[in-house]
Each structure stands twice: as structure tokens, then as C-alpha cells.
Amino acid sequence: MLGGAATHFALSASFFHNVHVVGPVGDDFGEEELAVLAMRGTDVSDVERVSGGKTFFWAGAYGWDLNSRETLATELGVFEQFEPKLSTASRECDVLFLANIQPELQLAVLEQCSAPRFVALDSMNLWIEIAREALVEVIRRVDCVIFNDAELRQLTGKPSLVAAAREVLALGPTVVVAKQGEYGASLLTADGFFALPAYPLETVIDPTGAGDTFAGGFVGHIARNLDSGITDSLLRQAMAYGTALASYNVEEFGTERLQRLTPAEVTDRVQDLARMTHFEHDAYLVGRR
Amino acid sequence: MLGGAATHFALSASFFHNVHVVGPVGDDFGEEELAVLAMRGTDVSDVERVSGGKTFFWAGAYGWDLNSRETLATELGVFEQFEPKLSTASRECDVLFLANIQPELQLAVLEQCSAPRFVALDSMNLWIEIAREALVEVIRRVDCVIFNDAELRQLTGKPSLVAAAREVLALGPTVVVAKQGEYGASLLTADGFFALPAYPLETVIDPTGAGDTFAGGFVGHIARNLDSGITDSLLRQAMAYGTALASYNVEEFGTERLQRLTPAEVTDRVQDLARMTHFEHDAYLVGRR
């Protein structure tokens, strides 16, 4: 089934901004897959087709309530020998998202970009375990990490999310986003905390790619509004857009739902989320009756 | 250590309303414990001291990140032979909270109340396993269930919280509150959804009693404002008060923090929660730049 961080991310981010994708695919990545990746104007000229190679492959099993998942197979395939060479257009990007892959490769891409104004980073438990130093080096050089909350805990050894985020912020980033699956996501900065629940759904068909779809909406919204400055208010809105897009992603398998998603549908769920989290609090004070 | 559903609930609810506690304790429940239970004017005349009996005892072990816990011991003690006989004051209550205990006992208390206008119910996995029919019978007769989300899933066999809540609402209650530990709590009604994160804390010392403290703030706020009608707006505020109170409870062991908590501190965290969940969403629409 078509997936992959780049595909989910690009489909989502392309609602907000033009996207350039950098990465290798194998012979098994056909024209149809490329067409999905290129939907909504995404530039795929930096997608390198490796003859005889196999596209990155991940398989996992989700628990009954979809709140836990076990990795069954991670095959780096063409990523094993990949040496990124970015086109001029990609080098000049203002906003960069380093999707989950070996930290060394993430660094190689980052170093080719001339002057990105906002860099966000994803990773996974595997790299925390086997490439910790390299990962920390990348974290030092980005503005924002977008990790699962369990990964933040694993990375820092802190059971408290607040303490874990504080430790990551001390390394350099100014923004930590903790993805919490069904429970939503939290945004932690030096002096701010914001949390948003996931959009409530009666049925979740496939959570795969939800994190990358979230990142696409989050980073895409920031890219779209970069000239107004990256304020706390913008980051919070970006959380809502990421959450709305991720909620559509999980409604069907792979990228099926995102392929036919409309901007109006995205806006609808952002407004729903605002309603679902609002409460009036001024008129009431604690006090006995 | 002093604990127990009634103690945590009463300490919390007494910020909003006078509380009557019904239940048995053993010889091991001393004058000091009774004094804590009676703080802020709680009426303990329906607390029955059973000579030679042992107070209800629960012990559990929490996982490293405090998100999971395992029950090590549940000893009903004096609850095993308890036959509730409510005083007139308790019978005439407007608002009733049935804390976690055998469903048969919850029903016996409910049946002695003359005309409660709002009844909320807690329970636990044990009763879902061994007293399912009796529990469902109690659920049919209450207005609101306040369960952990895992318990809602276990009770209904539905992996989706939305689907699980729908099934519980179909039994009779008009309000379902899903407690989600570190991730906060969700409120589900026939046509509404509201979610609130837990208050973010750098250090959590002891999560025991957080659920009952939450219930105390939630039910207490409803009791205080009952005459204005149980609106969606009131229920949402009640979620915020429950969340604020629970956040203080976990900062120290047992009831230590709640014993010296002030109304102003509660209000502070409710206002913090409003700020931590607010985002502006009107000015921005999806659209490419």
C-alpha cells in the first residue's frame, strides 16, 4: 500500500504551500505512486529512482485499541546507500521538514540548505537506540522536534512529558511537539504549553502515516504564514491544522482519503476542534453554596 | 496512607458544596482520618464504624511513566457485609456520586435517595469482569458515568472511545466522562464532544485518588450550579474544575496537597487550562501560497 513519510507529509503540506520532496525510491515505486506524491503541485525532481533498488519499507501491527504498535519490519532499502544531492530549488527552501530516517542523512540534507528559517525534525525509537549521538546532534540544529511522547521519554529518560520537553528545549530547539496518538498532541515551548485532543472519530481504519500527515499540516501552515512571524498563536493554529489533516488520514487506508480531501473539509474540522476545546470560565469562581 | 474514594472525593467536592459521606470504615480508621474526611464541613454522620472490621484497602503499582497501573490488592473489608442505611439528610440529596464499589451496594444507596436530580457513577475493571449485569443495571439508572477510557472500552467491547460512549449513552445516561490519566479527560454527550488535557506538571508524585478528586470537582461544580440547569457549558466548566483539582492531588502523596489547597489556587489552574487550550482560528483559511 502506498505510504511513506514523504508521501503522507507532502499530500498534507501541499494544502498550504508548494512542497519539494527529496529522497530515493526503488524500481518498485511506480508511476502511479509518483503521481500521488506529485499531487497538488509537489515538486518531485529531487526524488531519485535507484535502479535495482527497493523502496523503504515499514510494517507494523497495531494493538486492539490502536494505541500501541509494534514494528514488524523496517527495511531501509535504497536509503542505505543514499547520498542526498539537493537541487537549487530545494537548497533555497525557507522551511524544512526532516522526516524520520537515519540522523546522518537528515544532517546531510540540512547542511545543503542555505538558510532555512524553520526546520522541524521527526525520528523514531530505532535511532534513539542505535544512533543516539547523531540524533542529538541533529536535534541541536533544528527549531522544532515532532516526536511521539514515548520517544521524548525514551530520549531523555524522563517520565514526565514536561521534564522531557524541557531537556530537549535545552539542546536548542524552541518548539517541542509531542504526538500522543488517539489523545492528540501537545506543544511545549520555553514558556508555553498548548494541548489539543485528536479529532474524535467513530472508526479509525488505519493510523499509519498519521504522524507525517500531522507534521505536513503543522509545518505547512507555518510555511504559509512564515512572513507574519512564528508566534505562539501561529504554532497553536498549526497544531489544529495538523490535527485536522491527521484525522482524515486515519479514516481510510494509506493515502486514499487525503487524495480526495478538500480545503473546506480541513477548515471544517479546525473549527470543530475550536468548539470541542472551548469552555467559558470567567463567570464562575470556586466557593461554597 | 490516607486515601479512599470517599476521602478524595469529599475533600475535592467540599470546595463547591456541602458533602454527605455514606460508607463503612473499620477500627483502623482513626480520629485523625475522620477529621480529614470531615474537613470543610463534610457531614460524616453516615460513616459507619464497624467494630473489629478492616477499612477498604487498595494497593497498586504504577508503571515508570505513571500511565499504567496494576492492582496488587483489593480488600473489600467492611464493605463485604455493608448494608447502607442513609440518614434523612443523605436521602434528600439533589446530587449523588456513587463511588467505585460493588454495583449492588451502589444500587442500594441509589434506591434510598428520594429524588436526586443528578447521579454520577464510577466503577472499575473488577466489577466489569465479575458483576457485569449488576453494573449495567446501575448504569441504566444514572445520569452520568465517570470511567477510565480503558474501562469504557472493556465494558462495551468497542475499541473506539466514541463508539464505546455511544453504547453507554444508549443505556440511559446523558453524560459520559472518559478519564484518560496523563492525557486528561473527554466529555461525550448525545450531540457533543469536549476534551481537556491534564494540567501539565513537571513532577507527579502519586496519581492515586486523581480520579476521585476529579469526580469531586466535576460533580461538586454541577451541584453548586444545579439551579441554573445542567447545560453543556456547565458540564465543560465542571471538567475544568475536576481537572484542576486532580492536578493538585497528584503533586503530593495521599490527601496532603488537597488538605491545604485554597479556592484561589483552584481558580488559577482553571484559568490556566483555558489559556492552554485556546487557539485563534477565524482569520486563517486553508489555501496555497
Side-chain angles (χ1 to χ4, degrees):
Chain A
M1 177 185 328
L2 183 60
T7 307
H8 287 287
F9 179 89
L11 270 176
S12 179
S14 61
F15 277 91
F16 304 88
H17 210 280
N18 56 321
V19 181
H20 305 267
V21 173
V22 174
V25 296
D27 294 331
D28 48 351
F29 200 84
E31 286 309 312
E32 213 175 302
E33 282 88 352
L34 206 63
V36 173
L37 191 55
M39 271 182 76
R40 296 196 193 90
T42 292
D43 175 9
V44 294
S45 55
D46 276 353
V47 173
E48 203 175 301
R49 190 181 297 272
V50 180
S51 160
K54 264 200 73 180
T55 304
F56 176 89
F57 176 79
W58 178 86
Y62 291 89
W64 176 70
D65 61 6
L66 303 178
N67 278 334
S68 63
R69 78 174 175 193
E70 190 192 351
T71 293
L72 300 176
T74 305
E75 294 169 14
L76 291 179
V78 289
F79 272 106
E80 257 178 289
Q81 307 294 329
F82 183 57
E83 292 176 19
K85 289 170 286 292
L86 274 61
S87 62
T88 306
S90 292
R91 284 171 189 265
E92 289 174 351
C93 67
D94 275 330
V95 171
L96 176 64
F97 174 63
L98 298 165
N100 168 37
I101 201 67
Q102 304 103 297
E104 293 82 358
L105 268 184
Q106 294 177 317
L107 202 59
V109 169
L110 175 57
E111 284 178 338
Q112 290 181 42
C113 293
S114 49
R117 291 155 64 191
F118 185 78
V119 182
L121 175 76
D122 188 15
S123 191
M124 69 168 164
N125 52 356
L126 178 65
W127 312 120
I128 299 174
E129 284 155 25
I130 70 169
R132 186 190 176 79
E133 273 184 50
L135 175 59
V136 168
E137 184 52 33
V138 186
I139 291 173
R140 288 186 195 282
R141 298 174 61 172
V142 303
D143 302 290
C144 171
V145 305
I146 306 177
F147 285 12
N148 294 331
D149 61 341
E151 290 162 355
L152 289 168
R153 293 193 161 98
Q154 188 189 356
L155 176 70
T156 60
K158 302 278 183 194
S160 149
L161 179 63
V162 176
R166 192 157 303 201
E167 203 159 301
V168 173
L169 292 170
L171 292 173
T174 53
V175 181
V176 170
V177 174
K179 295 177 287 184
Q180 298 160 319
E182 177 205 8
Y183 302 109
S186 297
L187 172 81
L188 302 105
T189 58
D191 45 24
F193 176 87
F194 173 71
L196 200 64
Y199 189 90
L201 293 170
E202 179 102 23
T203 311
V204 170
I205 297 296
D206 178 13
T208 311
D212 295 305
T213 309
F214 172 90
F218 180 82
V219 173
H221 186 70
I222 290 169
R224 182 178 188 272
N225 298 285
L226 195 62
D227 291 338
S228 318
I230 300 170
T231 60
D232 188 56
S233 171
L234 179 66
L235 291 169
R236 287 171 177 232
Q237 286 161 4
M239 291 278 289
Y241 281 102
T243 299
L245 278 150
S247 75
Y248 284 112
N249 180 75
V250 304
E251 284 186 352
E252 297 180 22
F253 283 106
T255 57
E256 285 169 20
R257 185 67 183 90
L258 263 283
Q259 288 185 49
R260 55 168 212 281
L261 187 65
T262 67
E265 287 175 315
V266 177
T267 307
D268 277 354
R269 285 214 175 154
V270 168
Q271 286 169 346
D272 282 349
L273 283 165
R275 277 190 289 271
M276 287 170 177
T277 56
H278 176 74
F279 68 95
E280 287 158 34
H281 63 101
D282 290 335
Y284 290 81
L285 291 172
V286 172
R288 290 283 298 275
R289 277 246 171 110
Chain B
M1 178 184 330
L2 182 60
T7 307
H8 287 287
F9 178 89
L11 270 177
S12 181
S14 61
F15 277 91
F16 305 89
H17 210 281
N18 56 323
V19 181
H20 305 265
V21 173
V22 175
V25 296
D27 294 328
D28 49 350
F29 201 85
E31 285 309 311
E32 213 175 303
E33 283 87 352
L34 204 64
V36 173
L37 190 57
M39 272 183 74
R40 298 196 190 88
T42 292
D43 174 9
V44 294
S45 56
D46 276 352
V47 173
E48 202 175 301
R49 190 182 297 271
V50 180
S51 160
K54 266 201 70 180
T55 303
F56 176 87
F57 176 79
W58 178 87
Y62 290 90
W64 175 71
D65 61 5
L66 304 178
N67 278 334
S68 62
R69 78 173 176 195
E70 190 193 347
T71 292
L72 299 176
T74 305
E75 293 167 17
L76 291 180
V78 287
F79 272 107
E80 259 177 286
Q81 308 294 330
F82 183 57
E83 290 177 20
K85 289 169 286 294
L86 274 59
S87 61
T88 305
S90 293
R91 285 172 188 265
E92 288 175 352
C93 68
D94 275 330
V95 171
L96 175 65
F97 174 63
L98 299 165
N100 169 37
I101 201 66
Q102 305 102 298
E104 294 82 359
L105 268 185
Q106 294 177 316
L107 202 59
V109 169
L110 176 57
E111 284 178 338
Q112 290 181 42
C113 293
S114 50
R117 290 154 67 192
F118 185 77
V119 181
L121 175 75
D122 188 13
S123 191
M124 67 168 167
N125 51 356
L126 177 67
W127 312 121
I128 299 175
E129 285 154 24
I130 69 169
R132 189 191 175 78
E133 271 184 50
L135 175 59
V136 169
E137 184 53 31
V138 185
I139 292 174
R140 287 185 197 283
R141 298 173 62 173
V142 302
D143 301 290
C144 172
V145 305
I146 305 178
F147 284 12
N148 294 331
D149 62 340
E151 290 162 356
L152 289 167
R153 293 191 162 99
Q154 187 190 357
L155 176 71
T156 61
K158 302 279 182 192
S160 151
L161 178 63
V162 176
R166 192 156 305 200
E167 204 160 301
V168 172
L169 292 170
L171 293 173
T174 53
V175 180
V176 170
V177 174
K179 294 176 288 184
Q180 298 159 319
E182 179 205 6
Y183 301 110
S186 298
L187 172 80
L188 301 105
T189 57
D191 47 23
F193 176 88
F194 173 71
L196 199 64
Y199 189 89
L201 293 171
E202 180 102 22
T203 312
V204 169
I205 297 295
D206 178 13
T208 311
D212 294 306
T213 308
F214 172 91
F218 180 83
V219 173
H221 186 69
I222 291 170
R224 181 179 189 271
N225 297 284
L226 195 62
D227 291 338
S228 318
I230 300 170
T231 60
D232 187 56
S233 173
L234 179 66
L235 291 170
R236 288 171 177 233
Q237 286 163 6
M239 291 279 288
Y241 281 102
T243 299
L245 279 150
S247 76
Y248 284 111
N249 180 74
V250 305
E251 285 185 350
E252 297 180 22
F253 284 105
T255 56
E256 285 168 21
R257 185 68 182 89
L258 263 284
Q259 288 185 47
R260 57 168 210 278
L261 188 64
T262 66
E265 288 175 315
V266 177
T267 308
D268 277 354
R269 286 215 174 153
V270 168
Q271 285 168 349
D272 282 347
L273 284 165
R275 276 189 290 270
M276 287 170 176
T277 55
H278 175 75
F279 67 96
E280 287 159 34
H281 64 101
D282 290 334
Y284 290 80
L285 291 172
V286 173
R288 289 285 295 276
R289 277 246 171 109

